[in-house]
Amino acid sequence: MKHGRRILAVVPARAGSKGIPDKNMQTIAGRSLIALVGEVLNSPACDWIDRRIISTDSERYAEEGKKHGLDAPFLRPPELSSDTAGAVETLCHAVTEMERIDGVTYDVILIVEPTCPFRQPEDVNGVMDLLAATDAGSTVTVSRVDTKFHPHKVLRVSSSEDVITFYNEAGAGVKQRQSLEPLFYRNGACYALSRACLMDEHKIFTTGTRAHLVERLLINIDEPEEIELARYYAETRHLPVGYKKA
């Protein structure tokens, strides 16, 4: 427990990824993405988590999770195993199953996706501490948007004449990138949700969701080239992946 709350960490790991086949078993620094998230959640800095589970439709993924400290008391049903299955429905299923199996009610649910290999225990602690400090319904790790991709710098190109216009008309008046409003994106490191937010409101983001800013480099893997980029950064920049005892 932490802050007097019982905590369930859920690692969603569907086996049927189409963009990157067998995505969650891809390796960075010689360990699978499932192994890396298991290492972080079982680190001494995260010993306050009451249960760590993998929610998957694959026996193979379940076994990989077990090897790295993630329990796998159930497999997802087929209706939650397709690429159209919703995140909220998948998480609600995991909480319902674990509360039935464990005979307890969980106060906080952590969503910890395998696709963020440079996640560290401090990120998980950050969203949990913020949730408790603010009494928000949910908290999310975020990173800064590079100003090159700011909406005021985004362009439209007409399909008929290749004419360029600004996506946002205010972009024409931007003279210095320093004048742009700071913007952020969710980086996939960790989400913390109150039970009411997930199970009663069926939401991950609410009007009161708070941001935990991560300033260092993170990669959230969605495309094949991002696997190679993560491997490159791990090898050449020596970015920490997962958590290994010294």
Side-chain angles (χ1 to χ4, degrees):
M1 299 184 78
K2 193 174 191 182
H3 304 295
R5 306 184 189 195
R6 192 182 302 274
I7 298 152
L8 171 68
V10 180
V11 176
R14 188 174 63 87
S17 173
K18 293 179 179 177
I20 306 175
D22 217 16
K23 177 170 65 176
N24 294 303
M25 290 294 284
Q26 295 294 317
T27 58
I28 310 291
R31 287 114 72 205
S32 72
L33 295 179
I34 291 173
L36 295 177
V37 68
E39 289 175 11
V40 168
L41 294 179
N42 283 280
S43 67
C46 292
D47 62 1
W48 43 268
I49 298 173
D50 295 282
R51 258 299 206 158
R52 305 157 183 83
I53 69 160
I54 182 170
S55 169
T56 183
D57 55 335
S58 163
E59 290 279 6
R60 179 167 165 252
Y61 283 21
E63 288 304 313
E64 180 72 0
K66 291 175 187 177
K67 289 178 185 177
H68 299 282
L70 303 174
D71 294 323
F74 60 85
L75 290 179
R76 287 191 207 175
E79 62 269 21
L80 295 177
S81 302
S82 70
D83 54 5
T84 60
V88 168
E89 291 77 13
T90 298
L91 291 164
C92 286
H93 171 264
V95 173
T96 299
E97 285 297 297
M98 292 313 303
E99 290 186 341
R100 178 185 63 80
I101 292 167
D102 293 345
V104 300
T105 297
Y106 287 100
D107 304 301
V108 176
I109 296 87
L110 301 177
I111 310 172
V112 199
E113 298 168 313
T115 48
C116 186
F118 300 128
R119 171 196 301 109
Q120 289 294 290
E122 66 200 62
D123 307 322
V124 181
N125 275 273
V127 290
M128 183 62 218
D129 291 342
L130 183 60
L131 188 77
T134 61
D135 213 24
S138 62
T139 54
V140 178
T141 55
V142 301
S143 297
R144 296 182 187 273
V145 172
D146 189 314
T147 54
K148 291 192 295 292
F149 307 111
H150 193 283
H152 284 183
K153 287 201 168 187
V154 173
L155 306 173
R156 294 182 188 273
V157 179
S158 67
S159 57
S160 58
E161 299 178 356
D162 295 331
V163 173
I164 290 176
T165 57
F166 281 94
Y167 173 77
N168 188 315
E169 291 182 4
V174 174
K175 297 179 180 179
Q176 295 179 325
R177 64 183 177 84
Q178 292 84 355
S179 67
L180 293 170
E181 175 192 358
L183 295 178
F184 306 87
Y185 65 94
R186 48 181 168 173
N187 55 40
C190 193
Y191 304 73
L193 285 67
S194 70
R195 188 184 189 283
C197 179
L198 177 64
M199 302 299 286
D200 298 337
E201 298 181 43
H202 298 281
K203 293 180 179 178
I204 295 175
F205 281 81
T206 72
T207 55
T209 294
R210 300 296 185 94
H212 173 68
L213 178 61
V214 179
E215 294 282 17
R216 68 184 194 283
L217 175 65
L218 292 178
I219 293 178
N220 192 12
I221 295 171
D222 289 315
E223 303 297 335
E225 57 268 25
E226 289 168 331
I227 288 279
E228 298 305 322
L229 185 60
R231 289 170 179 158
Y232 173 77
Y233 282 155
E235 180 178 349
T236 62
R237 297 196 185 184
H238 306 290
L239 296 183
V241 289
Y243 177 91
K244 296 191 78 173
K245 293 182 181 178

